[in-house]
Amino acid sequence: RWSPVTESVNGGYIDLPNLTYRVTRYPDETILAQATNQIEIKDNPDTESGVIGYYYTVVANAGTSASEAATSPTFWLGTITPPYNMAFDTPESTGAYTFVDANNDGITWSWSASDKAFQSQWNRQKNSDDWLITPGIKLESGKTYTVTAKMHTYLGNPEQLEICYGTSPDPAMLTEKLMDKCTIKHRDSKDYELLVTPENDGTYYIGVHVVTP
């Protein structure tokens, strides 16, 4: 849904009763409406082909004149089906992940342009309590999956964390442990290989929980 056009940019005349909108979905560049006079549209994008960030543009057309495109936020839909590997080369590649600032100190996970990775900031005044949570991952019962987390700390300073999983991106539901609370304190990246064997088929979420005191 979007706000209707009520006036022109330069204050000139617009034939509002005959105004139409062109709506396009990206990244697949699907035109959902070529010339609708409505201000909302329903869509059913593909959610079976992995995690995809969809966004929309709306262009208002009045006769032979067209507005600049208005662009929506990105909506991340779909789930991961293993095997899966993702490089975090751009901030856009991280959009499907969830940051939770559980201690509400305004300092939490972010994307590092220099490391091309997620980073957790340290608050000297308050214990850390911050979650980095994956998109949903489809897992099958009885199968054992290897989860590899590549981690290091700034200048080898110690950080405490645990890695948990569950059936909801809500931290309160991430109750199963992949890695018990431990201290990481190496400046060079190291792979941590963790095993998960779900009891039931379903969509699971993995959370890295920083708890540095």
Side-chain angles (χ1 to χ4, degrees), residues 88 94 99 107-122 130-132 150-154 159 208 210:
F88 304 114
T94 69
F99 306 150
I107 300 174
T108 188
W109 290 89
S110 60
W111 178 74
S112 168
S114 58
D115 288 334
K116 300 295 191 291
F118 291 109
Q119 63 182 3
S120 175
Q121 301 291 333
W122 186 35
D130 299 286
W131 289 86
L132 168 66
K150 184 185 293 288
M151 297 186 286
H152 74 275
T153 61
Y154 178 68
E159 292 278 4
V208 181
V210 176

Side-chain angles (χ1 to χ4, degrees), residues 137-164:
I137 306 170
K138 286 185 177 179
L139 302 179
E140 298 179 24
S141 65
K143 290 187 176 182
T144 298
Y145 300 85
T146 300
V147 179
T148 303
K150 184 185 293 288
M151 297 186 286
H152 74 275
T153 61
Y154 178 68
L155 297 180
N157 294 328
E159 292 278 4
Q160 290 187 10
L161 59 85
E162 60 183 355
I163 300 179
C164 309

Side-chain angles (χ1 to χ4, degrees), residues 63-75:
T64 59
S65 298
S67 72
E68 293 185 1
T71 303
S72 76
T74 299
F75 305 94

Side-chain angles (χ1 to χ4, degrees), residues 16-195:
L16 291 176
N18 293 313
L19 193 73
T20 62
Y21 302 93
R22 184 176 73 251
V23 184
T24 307
R25 182 184 69 217
Y26 291 88
D28 54 345
E29 300 185 25
T30 297
I31 296 176
L32 302 177
Q34 185 65 258
T36 180
N37 58 8
Q38 304 299 307
I39 59 169
E40 64 179 4
I41 196 167
K42 293 183 179 180
D43 187 24
N44 187 29
D46 174 27
T47 59
E48 300 299 322
S49 300
V51 177
I52 301 174
Y54 291 103
Y55 65 96
Y56 300 81
T57 63
V58 178
V59 174
N61 293 295
T64 59
S65 298
S67 72
E68 293 185 1
T71 303
S72 76
T74 299
F75 305 94
W76 290 92
L77 303 175
T79 54
I80 294 167
T81 300
Y84 171 79
N85 180 55
M86 187 170 188
F88 304 114
D89 293 331
T90 66
E92 290 76 19
S93 67
T94 69
Y97 289 73
T98 300
F99 306 150
V100 179
D101 180 13
N103 61 359
N104 297 309
D105 65 349
I107 300 174
T108 188
W109 290 89
S110 60
W111 178 74
S112 168
S114 58
D115 288 334
K116 300 295 191 291
F118 291 109
Q119 63 182 3
S120 175
Q121 301 291 333
W122 186 35
N123 186 347
R124 296 178 180 273
Q125 308 300 323
K126 198 172 186 179
N127 293 350
S128 297
D129 186 4
D130 299 286
W131 289 86
L132 168 66
I133 303 172
T134 68
I137 306 170
K138 286 185 177 179
L139 302 179
E140 298 179 24
S141 65
K143 290 187 176 182
T144 298
Y145 300 85
T146 300
V147 179
T148 303
K150 184 185 293 288
M151 297 186 286
H152 74 275
T153 61
Y154 178 68
L155 297 180
N157 294 328
E159 292 278 4
Q160 290 187 10
L161 59 85
E162 60 183 355
I163 300 179
C164 309
Y165 75 100
T167 56
S168 167
D170 180 349
M173 301 298 291
L174 300 175
T175 55
E176 301 293 329
K177 292 291 182 69
L178 280 177
M179 176 188 282
D180 290 329
K181 185 169 72 173
C182 64
T183 299
I184 305 294
K185 53 178 181 179
H186 46 83
R187 65 188 303 169
D188 295 322
S189 289
K190 176 182 176 181
D191 287 346
Y192 289 79
E193 292 192 349
L194 314 169
L195 300 179

